Amino acid sequence: MTVTLKDLKVKLFTDGADKAQIVGMAKNAWIAGFTTNPSLLKKAGVRDYEAYARDLVAAVPDRHISFEVFSDDIAEMAAQARVIASWGKNVYAKLPVTTTRGEPLHDVVRALSGEGVKVNYTAIFTADQVAKAVKALAGGAPACVSVFAGRLADFGIDYQSVMQDAIARARGTKNVEIIWASTREVYNVIEADRMGCHIITAPADVLKKLPALGSLTDSELSLGAVRAFREDALAVGLTLAIPGRRAAE
């Protein structure tokens, strides 16, 4: 069955921290939100976190934007989440499932969600983490649980069962949505949509390919690849001596 961009029901978020890229992607009505994290902030060269974030919220005031805490102390993480939440009504405070010492944050996110803080609970990999995350957030403010499907796949771990379980659990609540995170390829978007996942966040380079969905058949793709190989061979002037060729001619 051919799928096109307009057929997708899953909400599409851009994962990245480059302001120009975010503002550019926001021009597409089909982009529903944006996610960032400290690693992406580092890549984008962000130094003044709050100034950067407030500037971004002002530039994109009408879409979900997730900004992550960076402390490793639970009490301070909660305080940072409250500050982040104050940056805008469209802002979600992103908190990791544990500290670097493996201490879970379930009680903290439960409290924050109960206060009205919109939480994006992230770095979720296991079914147990999913169950506890959804339970902690259920009944509170609008919230997301980010399951790192792509990173599981990178290490040969089945992500489908974890994703399906997460989606089913979240569908049993009124406020929790599942984000398919660490997306690697366009087909992950199709997978997420077919599973009934609420949201998928992906690099802009992946999302920019979505308008082409359904524009070519498999046979057309095959012929295109063959033609590209031929054109590139001619472009570089490849030659190959074939024994007996002259005699045969």
Side-chain angles (χ1 to χ4, degrees), residues 67-86 92-96 98-99 104-113 115-119 121:
F67 296 111
E68 189 166 345
V69 305
F70 54 85
S71 176
D72 199 38
D73 174 79
I74 292 179
E76 188 174 10
M77 292 166 97
Q80 288 182 349
R82 294 185 183 98
V83 170
I84 289 171
S86 73
Y92 280 63
K94 207 170 181 184
L95 294 98
T98 69
T99 65
L105 270 70
H106 308 312
D107 291 341
V108 170
V109 299
R110 181 181 293 109
L112 289 168
S113 186
E115 293 173 16
V117 174
K118 295 175 182 176
V119 172
Y121 209 8

Short mmCIF file of all heavy atoms in Angstrom, two decimals, residues 67-86 92-96 98-99 104-113 115-119 121:
data_model
loop_
_atom_site.label_atom_id
_atom_site.label_comp_id
_atom_site.label_asym_id
_atom_site.label_seq_id
_atom_site.Cartn_x
_atom_site.Cartn_y
_atom_site.Cartn_z
N PHE A 67 12.84 21.06 25.95
CA PHE A 67 14.18 21.43 26.41
C PHE A 67 14.52 20.57 27.62
O PHE A 67 13.70 20.42 28.53
CB PHE A 67 14.23 22.91 26.81
CG PHE A 67 13.98 23.87 25.69
CD1 PHE A 67 12.81 24.62 25.65
CD2 PHE A 67 14.88 24.02 24.65
CE1 PHE A 67 12.56 25.52 24.63
CE2 PHE A 67 14.65 24.91 23.61
CZ PHE A 67 13.49 25.67 23.60
N GLU A 68 15.73 20.04 27.65
CA GLU A 68 16.09 19.06 28.68
C GLU A 68 16.88 19.66 29.84
O GLU A 68 17.70 20.56 29.65
CB GLU A 68 16.91 17.93 28.04
CG GLU A 68 17.14 16.75 28.97
CD GLU A 68 17.63 15.53 28.22
OE1 GLU A 68 17.52 15.49 26.98
OE2 GLU A 68 18.12 14.58 28.87
N VAL A 69 16.63 19.13 31.04
CA VAL A 69 17.44 19.48 32.20
C VAL A 69 18.83 18.88 32.00
O VAL A 69 19.01 17.97 31.20
CB VAL A 69 16.81 18.95 33.50
CG1 VAL A 69 15.38 19.44 33.67
CG2 VAL A 69 16.85 17.43 33.56
N PHE A 70 19.81 19.39 32.74
CA PHE A 70 21.17 18.87 32.58
C PHE A 70 21.86 18.55 33.91
O PHE A 70 22.97 18.03 33.92
CB PHE A 70 22.03 19.85 31.78
CG PHE A 70 22.04 21.24 32.33
CD1 PHE A 70 22.91 21.61 33.34
CD2 PHE A 70 21.15 22.19 31.84
CE1 PHE A 70 22.92 22.89 33.86
CE2 PHE A 70 21.15 23.49 32.35
CZ PHE A 70 22.03 23.84 33.36
N SER A 71 21.21 18.84 35.02
CA SER A 71 21.79 18.49 36.32
C SER A 71 21.76 16.98 36.51
O SER A 71 21.04 16.26 35.81
CB SER A 71 20.99 19.16 37.44
OG SER A 71 21.48 18.75 38.71
N ASP A 72 22.56 16.50 37.46
CA ASP A 72 22.55 15.08 37.81
C ASP A 72 22.09 14.88 39.25
O ASP A 72 22.18 13.79 39.80
CB ASP A 72 23.95 14.47 37.61
CG ASP A 72 23.93 12.95 37.51
OD1 ASP A 72 22.99 12.40 36.91
OD2 ASP A 72 24.87 12.31 38.05
N ASP A 73 21.60 15.96 39.85
CA ASP A 73 21.06 15.92 41.21
C ASP A 73 19.54 16.01 41.10
O ASP A 73 19.00 16.93 40.45
CB ASP A 73 21.59 17.10 42.02
CG ASP A 73 20.93 17.20 43.39
OD1 ASP A 73 21.32 16.45 44.30
OD2 ASP A 73 19.99 18.02 43.52
N ILE A 74 18.83 15.07 41.69
CA ILE A 74 17.38 14.96 41.49
C ILE A 74 16.64 16.24 41.88
O ILE A 74 15.78 16.72 41.14
CB ILE A 74 16.82 13.74 42.24
CG1 ILE A 74 17.34 12.45 41.57
CG2 ILE A 74 15.29 13.76 42.23
CD1 ILE A 74 16.87 11.17 42.22
N ALA A 75 16.95 16.81 43.02
CA ALA A 75 16.27 18.02 43.46
C ALA A 75 16.53 19.17 42.49
O ALA A 75 15.62 19.95 42.14
CB ALA A 75 16.72 18.40 44.87
N GLU A 76 17.77 19.27 42.04
CA GLU A 76 18.11 20.35 41.10
C GLU A 76 17.48 20.10 39.74
O GLU A 76 17.09 21.05 39.03
CB GLU A 76 19.62 20.48 40.97
CG GLU A 76 20.03 21.71 40.16
CD GLU A 76 21.54 21.93 40.16
OE1 GLU A 76 22.29 21.04 40.63
OE2 GLU A 76 21.97 23.00 39.69
N MET A 77 17.36 18.85 39.35
CA MET A 77 16.69 18.53 38.08
C MET A 77 15.24 19.00 38.11
O MET A 77 14.73 19.55 37.13
CB MET A 77 16.76 17.02 37.82
CG MET A 77 18.17 16.51 37.54
SD MET A 77 18.29 14.70 37.64
CE MET A 77 18.15 14.25 35.93
N ALA A 78 14.59 18.79 39.24
CA ALA A 78 13.20 19.24 39.39
C ALA A 78 13.12 20.75 39.30
O ALA A 78 12.22 21.31 38.65
CB ALA A 78 12.63 18.75 40.71
N ALA A 79 14.07 21.44 39.94
CA ALA A 79 14.09 22.90 39.91
C ALA A 79 14.33 23.40 38.49
O ALA A 79 13.69 24.36 38.03
CB ALA A 79 15.17 23.42 40.85
N GLN A 80 15.25 22.75 37.77
CA GLN A 80 15.51 23.14 36.39
C GLN A 80 14.27 22.92 35.52
O GLN A 80 13.97 23.73 34.63
CB GLN A 80 16.69 22.34 35.84
CG GLN A 80 18.04 22.75 36.40
CD GLN A 80 19.19 21.97 35.79
OE1 GLN A 80 18.99 20.99 35.08
NE2 GLN A 80 20.42 22.42 36.06
N ALA A 81 13.56 21.83 35.76
CA ALA A 81 12.35 21.54 34.98
C ALA A 81 11.31 22.64 35.16
O ALA A 81 10.64 23.04 34.19
CB ALA A 81 11.77 20.19 35.41
N ARG A 82 11.18 23.15 36.37
CA ARG A 82 10.22 24.22 36.62
C ARG A 82 10.62 25.50 35.90
O ARG A 82 9.77 26.21 35.36
CB ARG A 82 10.08 24.46 38.12
CG ARG A 82 9.46 23.28 38.88
CD ARG A 82 9.24 23.60 40.35
NE ARG A 82 8.71 22.44 41.06
CZ ARG A 82 9.46 21.60 41.78
NH1 ARG A 82 10.77 21.82 41.91
NH2 ARG A 82 8.90 20.58 42.39
N VAL A 83 11.91 25.77 35.88
CA VAL A 83 12.40 26.95 35.16
C VAL A 83 12.13 26.80 33.67
O VAL A 83 11.62 27.72 33.00
CB VAL A 83 13.91 27.16 35.41
CG1 VAL A 83 14.46 28.23 34.46
CG2 VAL A 83 14.17 27.55 36.85
N ILE A 84 12.47 25.64 33.13
CA ILE A 84 12.25 25.38 31.71
C ILE A 84 10.77 25.53 31.34
O ILE A 84 10.43 26.13 30.32
CB ILE A 84 12.78 23.98 31.34
CG1 ILE A 84 14.31 23.98 31.37
CG2 ILE A 84 12.26 23.54 29.97
CD1 ILE A 84 14.94 22.60 31.25
N ALA A 85 9.90 25.00 32.18
CA ALA A 85 8.47 25.07 31.91
C ALA A 85 7.96 26.50 31.86
O ALA A 85 6.96 26.80 31.19
CB ALA A 85 7.70 24.28 32.96
N SER A 86 8.66 27.40 32.54
CA SER A 86 8.23 28.81 32.59
C SER A 86 8.53 29.56 31.30
O SER A 86 8.08 30.69 31.12
CB SER A 86 8.91 29.52 33.77
OG SER A 86 10.28 29.75 33.51
N TYR A 92 7.89 21.78 26.87
CA TYR A 92 7.91 20.57 27.69
C TYR A 92 9.29 20.46 28.33
O TYR A 92 10.30 20.66 27.65
CB TYR A 92 7.65 19.32 26.84
CG TYR A 92 6.20 19.07 26.53
CD1 TYR A 92 5.46 19.99 25.78
CD2 TYR A 92 5.56 17.91 26.95
CE1 TYR A 92 4.12 19.76 25.48
CE2 TYR A 92 4.22 17.67 26.65
CZ TYR A 92 3.51 18.60 25.92
OH TYR A 92 2.19 18.36 25.63
N ALA A 93 9.32 20.18 29.61
CA ALA A 93 10.58 19.97 30.32
C ALA A 93 10.98 18.51 30.17
O ALA A 93 10.24 17.61 30.56
CB ALA A 93 10.43 20.32 31.79
N LYS A 94 12.14 18.30 29.61
CA LYS A 94 12.61 16.95 29.31
C LYS A 94 13.47 16.46 30.47
O LYS A 94 14.45 17.12 30.84
CB LYS A 94 13.42 17.00 28.02
CG LYS A 94 13.46 15.74 27.21
CD LYS A 94 14.10 16.05 25.86
CE LYS A 94 14.14 14.82 24.97
NZ LYS A 94 14.85 15.12 23.71
N LEU A 95 13.12 15.32 31.03
CA LEU A 95 13.90 14.72 32.11
C LEU A 95 14.26 13.29 31.75
O LEU A 95 13.41 12.54 31.23
CB LEU A 95 13.12 14.73 33.43
CG LEU A 95 12.83 16.09 34.04
CD1 LEU A 95 11.42 16.54 33.71
CD2 LEU A 95 13.00 16.06 35.55
N PRO A 96 15.50 12.88 32.02
CA PRO A 96 15.90 11.50 31.74
C PRO A 96 15.28 10.54 32.76
O PRO A 96 14.92 10.95 33.87
CB PRO A 96 17.42 11.53 31.87
CG PRO A 96 17.66 12.62 32.87
CD PRO A 96 16.61 13.66 32.60
N THR A 98 16.60 8.26 34.52
CA THR A 98 17.42 8.09 35.72
C THR A 98 18.53 9.13 35.75
O THR A 98 18.78 9.82 34.75
CB THR A 98 18.10 6.70 35.78
OG1 THR A 98 19.12 6.62 34.76
CG2 THR A 98 17.11 5.56 35.60
N THR A 99 19.20 9.22 36.89
CA THR A 99 20.44 9.99 36.97
C THR A 99 21.55 9.12 36.38
O THR A 99 21.32 7.95 36.01
CB THR A 99 20.79 10.31 38.42
OG1 THR A 99 21.07 9.08 39.12
CG2 THR A 99 19.67 11.04 39.13
N PRO A 104 16.13 6.32 39.66
CA PRO A 104 14.94 6.65 38.86
C PRO A 104 14.32 7.99 39.26
O PRO A 104 14.43 8.42 40.41
CB PRO A 104 13.99 5.49 39.16
CG PRO A 104 14.40 5.00 40.51
CD PRO A 104 15.89 5.17 40.56
N LEU A 105 13.68 8.63 38.29
CA LEU A 105 13.05 9.92 38.54
C LEU A 105 11.53 9.85 38.54
O LEU A 105 10.84 10.85 38.40
CB LEU A 105 13.50 10.94 37.47
CG LEU A 105 14.76 11.74 37.80
CD1 LEU A 105 16.00 10.85 37.76
CD2 LEU A 105 14.93 12.91 36.84
N HIS A 106 10.98 8.67 38.72
CA HIS A 106 9.53 8.50 38.64
C HIS A 106 8.78 9.39 39.63
O HIS A 106 7.77 10.01 39.27
CB HIS A 106 9.15 7.03 38.86
CG HIS A 106 9.89 6.07 37.98
ND1 HIS A 106 10.03 6.26 36.63
CD2 HIS A 106 10.54 4.91 38.27
CE1 HIS A 106 10.73 5.26 36.11
NE2 HIS A 106 11.05 4.43 37.09
N ASP A 107 9.23 9.46 40.86
CA ASP A 107 8.55 10.28 41.86
C ASP A 107 8.61 11.75 41.49
O ASP A 107 7.65 12.50 41.70
CB ASP A 107 9.16 10.05 43.24
CG ASP A 107 8.87 8.67 43.80
OD1 ASP A 107 7.91 8.02 43.30
OD2 ASP A 107 9.60 8.22 44.70
N VAL A 108 9.74 12.17 40.96
CA VAL A 108 9.92 13.57 40.58
C VAL A 108 8.99 13.94 39.43
O VAL A 108 8.32 14.98 39.48
CB VAL A 108 11.39 13.85 40.19
CG1 VAL A 108 11.52 15.23 39.56
CG2 VAL A 108 12.28 13.74 41.40
N VAL A 109 8.94 13.13 38.39
CA VAL A 109 8.09 13.48 37.25
C VAL A 109 6.62 13.39 37.62
O VAL A 109 5.80 14.16 37.11
CB VAL A 109 8.39 12.60 36.00
CG1 VAL A 109 9.82 12.79 35.55
CG2 VAL A 109 8.08 11.16 36.23
N ARG A 110 6.28 12.50 38.53
CA ARG A 110 4.89 12.43 39.02
C ARG A 110 4.52 13.74 39.71
O ARG A 110 3.44 14.31 39.46
CB ARG A 110 4.71 11.25 39.99
CG ARG A 110 3.27 11.12 40.51
CD ARG A 110 3.13 9.97 41.49
NE ARG A 110 3.33 8.68 40.83
CZ ARG A 110 4.39 7.90 41.00
NH1 ARG A 110 5.38 8.29 41.81
NH2 ARG A 110 4.49 6.76 40.37
N ALA A 111 5.41 14.23 40.55
CA ALA A 111 5.15 15.48 41.27
C ALA A 111 5.08 16.66 40.30
O ALA A 111 4.18 17.50 40.40
CB ALA A 111 6.23 15.71 42.32
N LEU A 112 6.03 16.73 39.39
CA LEU A 112 6.05 17.83 38.43
C LEU A 112 4.79 17.83 37.55
O LEU A 112 4.17 18.88 37.33
CB LEU A 112 7.28 17.73 37.53
CG LEU A 112 8.63 18.04 38.19
CD1 LEU A 112 9.78 17.62 37.27
CD2 LEU A 112 8.74 19.53 38.52
N SER A 113 4.42 16.66 37.07
CA SER A 113 3.23 16.55 36.24
C SER A 113 1.99 16.96 37.02
O SER A 113 1.09 17.62 36.49
CB SER A 113 3.09 15.11 35.73
OG SER A 113 2.02 15.00 34.82
N GLU A 115 1.91 19.14 39.29
CA GLU A 115 1.97 20.60 39.45
C GLU A 115 1.54 21.33 38.18
O GLU A 115 1.38 22.55 38.18
CB GLU A 115 3.40 21.04 39.78
CG GLU A 115 3.91 20.60 41.14
CD GLU A 115 5.39 20.92 41.31
OE1 GLU A 115 5.91 21.74 40.53
OE2 GLU A 115 6.02 20.35 42.21
N GLY A 116 1.45 20.58 37.09
CA GLY A 116 1.09 21.22 35.82
C GLY A 116 2.24 21.38 34.86
O GLY A 116 2.08 21.95 33.78
N VAL A 117 3.44 20.87 35.23
CA VAL A 117 4.58 20.93 34.32
C VAL A 117 4.42 19.88 33.23
O VAL A 117 4.19 18.70 33.52
CB VAL A 117 5.90 20.69 35.09
CG1 VAL A 117 7.08 20.60 34.11
CG2 VAL A 117 6.14 21.78 36.11
N LYS A 118 4.54 20.30 31.98
CA LYS A 118 4.48 19.37 30.86
C LYS A 118 5.84 18.68 30.76
O LYS A 118 6.86 19.34 30.58
CB LYS A 118 4.16 20.11 29.56
CG LYS A 118 2.78 20.74 29.56
CD LYS A 118 2.56 21.57 28.31
CE LYS A 118 1.18 22.23 28.34
NZ LYS A 118 0.97 23.12 27.17
N VAL A 119 5.83 17.36 30.90
CA VAL A 119 7.06 16.58 30.97
C VAL A 119 7.25 15.73 29.72
O VAL A 119 6.31 15.12 29.22
CB VAL A 119 7.06 15.66 32.22
CG1 VAL A 119 8.25 14.70 32.19
CG2 VAL A 119 7.09 16.49 33.50
N TYR A 121 9.46 12.65 29.25
CA TYR A 121 10.28 11.69 30.00
C TYR A 121 11.10 10.91 28.98
O TYR A 121 10.55 10.21 28.15
CB TYR A 121 9.36 10.77 30.78
CG TYR A 121 9.90 10.21 32.07
CD1 TYR A 121 11.11 10.62 32.62
CD2 TYR A 121 9.17 9.24 32.76
CE1 TYR A 121 11.58 10.10 33.81
CE2 TYR A 121 9.62 8.71 33.96
CZ TYR A 121 10.83 9.14 34.48
OH TYR A 121 11.30 8.62 35.66
#
